[in-house]
PDB file of all heavy atoms in Angstrom:
ATOM      1  N   GLY A 110      49.392-124.961 -45.127  1.00  0.00           N
ATOM      2  CA  GLY A 110      48.072-125.521 -44.919  1.00  0.00           C
ATOM      3  C   GLY A 110      47.256-125.497 -46.200  1.00  0.00           C
ATOM      4  O   GLY A 110      47.763-125.222 -47.297  1.00  0.00           O
ATOM      5  N   VAL A 111      45.978-125.785 -46.075  1.00  0.00           N
ATOM      6  CA  VAL A 111      45.065-125.825 -47.210  1.00  0.00           C
ATOM      7  C   VAL A 111      44.298-124.498 -47.254  1.00  0.00           C
ATOM      8  O   VAL A 111      43.631-124.134 -46.279  1.00  0.00           O
ATOM      9  CB  VAL A 111      44.078-127.006 -47.093  1.00  0.00           C
ATOM     10  CG1 VAL A 111      43.193-127.070 -48.329  1.00  0.00           C
ATOM     11  CG2 VAL A 111      44.826-128.307 -46.870  1.00  0.00           C
ATOM     12  N   LEU A 112      44.418-123.780 -48.361  1.00  0.00           N
ATOM     13  CA  LEU A 112      43.788-122.472 -48.504  1.00  0.00           C
ATOM     14  C   LEU A 112      42.621-122.532 -49.485  1.00  0.00           C
ATOM     15  O   LEU A 112      42.579-123.410 -50.360  1.00  0.00           O
ATOM     16  CB  LEU A 112      44.814-121.440 -48.992  1.00  0.00           C
ATOM     17  CG  LEU A 112      46.048-121.246 -48.112  1.00  0.00           C
ATOM     18  CD1 LEU A 112      46.997-120.254 -48.764  1.00  0.00           C
ATOM     19  CD2 LEU A 112      45.654-120.796 -46.719  1.00  0.00           C
ATOM     20  N   ALA A 113      41.685-121.587 -49.347  1.00  0.00           N
ATOM     21  CA  ALA A 113      40.577-121.487 -50.292  1.00  0.00           C
ATOM     22  C   ALA A 113      41.107-121.182 -51.681  1.00  0.00           C
ATOM     23  O   ALA A 113      41.986-120.332 -51.850  1.00  0.00           O
ATOM     24  CB  ALA A 113      39.599-120.401 -49.854  1.00  0.00           C
ATOM     25  N   GLY A 114      40.607-121.906 -52.684  1.00  0.00           N
ATOM     26  CA  GLY A 114      41.021-121.686 -54.056  1.00  0.00           C
ATOM     27  C   GLY A 114      42.263-122.439 -54.463  1.00  0.00           C
ATOM     28  O   GLY A 114      42.682-122.347 -55.627  1.00  0.00           O
ATOM     29  N   SER A 115      42.871-123.186 -53.543  1.00  0.00           N
ATOM     30  CA  SER A 115      44.088-123.936 -53.875  1.00  0.00           C
ATOM     31  C   SER A 115      43.726-125.242 -54.581  1.00  0.00           C
ATOM     32  O   SER A 115      42.569-125.645 -54.644  1.00  0.00           O
ATOM     33  CB  SER A 115      44.896-124.228 -52.609  1.00  0.00           C
ATOM     34  OG  SER A 115      44.140-125.019 -51.703  1.00  0.00           O
ATOM     35  N   ASP A 116      44.751-125.896 -55.131  1.00  0.00           N
ATOM     36  CA  ASP A 116      44.530-127.170 -55.804  1.00  0.00           C
ATOM     37  C   ASP A 116      44.040-128.218 -54.813  1.00  0.00           C
ATOM     38  O   ASP A 116      44.097-128.031 -53.591  1.00  0.00           O
ATOM     39  CB  ASP A 116      45.834-127.647 -56.469  1.00  0.00           C
ATOM     40  CG  ASP A 116      46.271-126.732 -57.601  1.00  0.00           C
ATOM     41  OD1 ASP A 116      45.388-126.060 -58.172  1.00  0.00           O
ATOM     42  OD2 ASP A 116      47.485-126.687 -57.891  1.00  0.00           O
ATOM     43  N   ARG A 117      43.577-129.348 -55.372  1.00  0.00           N
ATOM     44  CA  ARG A 117      43.080-130.424 -54.528  1.00  0.00           C
ATOM     45  C   ARG A 117      44.185-130.852 -53.551  1.00  0.00           C
ATOM     46  O   ARG A 117      45.299-131.190 -53.952  1.00  0.00           O
ATOM     47  CB  ARG A 117      42.662-131.617 -55.377  1.00  0.00           C
ATOM     48  CG  ARG A 117      42.061-132.776 -54.577  1.00  0.00           C
ATOM     49  CD  ARG A 117      41.803-133.973 -55.487  1.00  0.00           C
ATOM     50  NE  ARG A 117      40.849-133.644 -56.534  1.00  0.00           N
ATOM     51  CZ  ARG A 117      39.523-133.743 -56.390  1.00  0.00           C
ATOM     52  NH1 ARG A 117      39.004-134.136 -55.248  1.00  0.00           N
ATOM     53  NH2 ARG A 117      38.727-133.444 -57.402  1.00  0.00           N
ATOM     54  N   PRO A 118      43.919-130.847 -52.245  1.00  0.00           N
ATOM     55  CA  PRO A 118      44.961-131.204 -51.273  1.00  0.00           C
ATOM     56  C   PRO A 118      45.206-132.709 -51.224  1.00  0.00           C
ATOM     57  O   PRO A 118      44.372-133.515 -51.656  1.00  0.00           O
ATOM     58  CB  PRO A 118      44.381-130.699 -49.954  1.00  0.00           C
ATOM     59  CG  PRO A 118      42.894-130.768 -50.148  1.00  0.00           C
ATOM     60  CD  PRO A 118      42.657-130.454 -51.607  1.00  0.00           C
ATOM     61  N   GLU A 119      46.354-133.054 -50.692  1.00  0.00           N
ATOM     62  CA  GLU A 119      46.685-134.463 -50.495  1.00  0.00           C
ATOM     63  C   GLU A 119      45.766-135.070 -49.430  1.00  0.00           C
ATOM     64  O   GLU A 119      45.378-134.400 -48.472  1.00  0.00           O
ATOM     65  CB  GLU A 119      48.136-134.615 -50.046  1.00  0.00           C
ATOM     66  CG  GLU A 119      49.162-134.232 -51.098  1.00  0.00           C
ATOM     67  CD  GLU A 119      49.113-135.179 -52.292  1.00  0.00           C
ATOM     68  OE1 GLU A 119      48.885-136.390 -52.080  1.00  0.00           O
ATOM     69  OE2 GLU A 119      49.261-134.693 -53.437  1.00  0.00           O
ATOM     70  N   PRO A 120      45.383-136.347 -49.594  1.00  0.00           N
ATOM     71  CA  PRO A 120      44.553-136.992 -48.570  1.00  0.00           C
ATOM     72  C   PRO A 120      45.261-137.020 -47.222  1.00  0.00           C
ATOM     73  O   PRO A 120      46.493-136.961 -47.140  1.00  0.00           O
ATOM     74  CB  PRO A 120      44.346-138.414 -49.116  1.00  0.00           C
ATOM     75  CG  PRO A 120      44.626-138.311 -50.582  1.00  0.00           C
ATOM     76  CD  PRO A 120      45.665-137.250 -50.733  1.00  0.00           C
ATOM     77  N   LEU A 121      44.456-137.080 -46.159  1.00  0.00           N
ATOM     78  CA  LEU A 121      45.022-137.190 -44.806  1.00  0.00           C
ATOM     79  C   LEU A 121      45.211-138.652 -44.430  1.00  0.00           C
ATOM     80  O   LEU A 121      44.366-139.502 -44.733  1.00  0.00           O
ATOM     81  CB  LEU A 121      44.087-136.531 -43.791  1.00  0.00           C
ATOM     82  CG  LEU A 121      44.053-134.997 -43.737  1.00  0.00           C
ATOM     83  CD1 LEU A 121      43.015-134.552 -42.698  1.00  0.00           C
ATOM     84  CD2 LEU A 121      45.418-134.425 -43.408  1.00  0.00           C
ATOM     85  N   ALA A 122      46.322-138.909 -43.771  1.00  0.00           N
ATOM     86  CA  ALA A 122      46.536-140.236 -43.192  1.00  0.00           C
ATOM     87  C   ALA A 122      45.839-140.306 -41.848  1.00  0.00           C
ATOM     88  O   ALA A 122      45.588-139.283 -41.197  1.00  0.00           O
ATOM     89  CB  ALA A 122      48.022-140.495 -43.042  1.00  0.00           C
ATOM     90  N   ASP A 123      45.536-141.487 -41.408  1.00  0.00           N
ATOM     91  CA  ASP A 123      44.889-141.650 -40.110  1.00  0.00           C
ATOM     92  C   ASP A 123      45.787-141.065 -39.021  1.00  0.00           C
ATOM     93  O   ASP A 123      46.988-141.329 -38.983  1.00  0.00           O
ATOM     94  CB  ASP A 123      44.642-143.138 -39.838  1.00  0.00           C
ATOM     95  CG  ASP A 123      43.775-143.357 -38.619  1.00  0.00           C
ATOM     96  OD1 ASP A 123      42.793-142.606 -38.439  1.00  0.00           O
ATOM     97  OD2 ASP A 123      44.086-144.274 -37.834  1.00  0.00           O
ATOM     98  N   GLY A 124      45.174-140.208 -38.153  1.00  0.00           N
ATOM     99  CA  GLY A 124      45.945-139.592 -37.073  1.00  0.00           C
ATOM    100  C   GLY A 124      46.676-138.334 -37.495  1.00  0.00           C
ATOM    101  O   GLY A 124      47.487-137.820 -36.714  1.00  0.00           O
ATOM    102  N   GLU A 125      46.388-137.805 -38.684  1.00  0.00           N
ATOM    103  CA  GLU A 125      47.100-136.632 -39.186  1.00  0.00           C
ATOM    104  C   GLU A 125      46.171-135.411 -39.162  1.00  0.00           C
ATOM    105  O   GLU A 125      44.957-135.535 -39.271  1.00  0.00           O
ATOM    106  CB  GLU A 125      47.585-136.899 -40.609  1.00  0.00           C
ATOM    107  CG  GLU A 125      48.534-135.832 -41.158  1.00  0.00           C
ATOM    108  CD  GLU A 125      49.063-136.178 -42.546  1.00  0.00           C
ATOM    109  OE1 GLU A 125      48.382-136.919 -43.282  1.00  0.00           O
ATOM    110  OE2 GLU A 125      50.155-135.686 -42.877  1.00  0.00           O
ATOM    111  N   ALA A 126      46.778-134.209 -39.016  1.00  0.00           N
ATOM    112  CA  ALA A 126      46.044-132.943 -39.032  1.00  0.00           C
ATOM    113  C   ALA A 126      46.766-131.961 -39.943  1.00  0.00           C
ATOM    114  O   ALA A 126      47.993-131.986 -40.056  1.00  0.00           O
ATOM    115  CB  ALA A 126      45.937-132.364 -37.620  1.00  0.00           C
ATOM    116  N   VAL A 127      46.006-131.095 -40.597  1.00  0.00           N
ATOM    117  CA  VAL A 127      46.583-130.058 -41.444  1.00  0.00           C
ATOM    118  C   VAL A 127      45.760-128.783 -41.271  1.00  0.00           C
ATOM    119  O   VAL A 127      44.542-128.832 -41.111  1.00  0.00           O
ATOM    120  CB  VAL A 127      46.602-130.491 -42.927  1.00  0.00           C
ATOM    121  CG1 VAL A 127      45.201-130.659 -43.490  1.00  0.00           C
ATOM    122  CG2 VAL A 127      47.391-129.503 -43.776  1.00  0.00           C
ATOM    123  N   ARG A 128      46.448-127.641 -41.248  1.00  0.00           N
ATOM    124  CA  ARG A 128      45.738-126.361 -41.146  1.00  0.00           C
ATOM    125  C   ARG A 128      44.842-126.170 -42.374  1.00  0.00           C
ATOM    126  O   ARG A 128      45.217-126.527 -43.485  1.00  0.00           O
ATOM    127  CB  ARG A 128      46.721-125.203 -41.045  1.00  0.00           C
ATOM    128  CG  ARG A 128      47.305-125.006 -39.660  1.00  0.00           C
ATOM    129  CD  ARG A 128      47.940-123.636 -39.526  1.00  0.00           C
ATOM    130  NE  ARG A 128      48.447-123.429 -38.185  1.00  0.00           N
ATOM    131  CZ  ARG A 128      47.718-123.000 -37.161  1.00  0.00           C
ATOM    132  NH1 ARG A 128      46.418-122.732 -37.353  1.00  0.00           N
ATOM    133  NH2 ARG A 128      48.255-122.832 -35.971  1.00  0.00           N
ATOM    134  N   ILE A 129      43.657-125.547 -42.144  1.00  0.00           N
ATOM    135  CA  ILE A 129      42.724-125.334 -43.247  1.00  0.00           C
ATOM    136  C   ILE A 129      42.001-124.005 -43.046  1.00  0.00           C
ATOM    137  O   ILE A 129      41.723-123.598 -41.913  1.00  0.00           O
ATOM    138  CB  ILE A 129      41.725-126.504 -43.368  1.00  0.00           C
ATOM    139  CG1 ILE A 129      40.963-126.440 -44.706  1.00  0.00           C
ATOM    140  CG2 ILE A 129      40.755-126.532 -42.188  1.00  0.00           C
ATOM    141  CD1 ILE A 129      40.222-127.737 -45.032  1.00  0.00           C
ATOM    142  N   ALA A 130      41.743-123.315 -44.147  1.00  0.00           N
ATOM    143  CA  ALA A 130      41.050-122.032 -44.097  1.00  0.00           C
ATOM    144  C   ALA A 130      39.578-122.208 -44.457  1.00  0.00           C
ATOM    145  O   ALA A 130      39.186-123.166 -45.130  1.00  0.00           O
ATOM    146  CB  ALA A 130      41.704-121.046 -45.060  1.00  0.00           C
ATOM    147  N   THR A 131      38.759-121.263 -44.013  1.00  0.00           N
ATOM    148  CA  THR A 131      37.336-121.275 -44.361  1.00  0.00           C
ATOM    149  C   THR A 131      37.163-121.277 -45.879  1.00  0.00           C
ATOM    150  O   THR A 131      37.782-120.490 -46.591  1.00  0.00           O
ATOM    151  CB  THR A 131      36.636-120.042 -43.778  1.00  0.00           C
ATOM    152  OG1 THR A 131      36.805-120.033 -42.356  1.00  0.00           O
ATOM    153  CG2 THR A 131      35.157-120.032 -44.123  1.00  0.00           C
ATOM    154  N   GLY A 132      36.324-122.169 -46.373  1.00  0.00           N
ATOM    155  CA  GLY A 132      36.053-122.259 -47.799  1.00  0.00           C
ATOM    156  C   GLY A 132      37.016-123.138 -48.561  1.00  0.00           C
ATOM    157  O   GLY A 132      36.807-123.374 -49.757  1.00  0.00           O
ATOM    158  N   ALA A 133      38.068-123.631 -47.906  1.00  0.00           N
ATOM    159  CA  ALA A 133      39.035-124.481 -48.597  1.00  0.00           C
ATOM    160  C   ALA A 133      38.472-125.883 -48.807  1.00  0.00           C
ATOM    161  O   ALA A 133      37.613-126.360 -48.059  1.00  0.00           O
ATOM    162  CB  ALA A 133      40.330-124.544 -47.810  1.00  0.00           C
TER     163      ALA A 133
END
Side-chain angles (χ1 to χ4, degrees):
V111 183
L112 302 177
S115 61
D116 294 335
R117 183 186 298 273
E119 293 294 323
L121 285 178
D123 189 41
E125 189 176 26
V127 65
R128 280 196 178 275
I129 193 166
T131 302

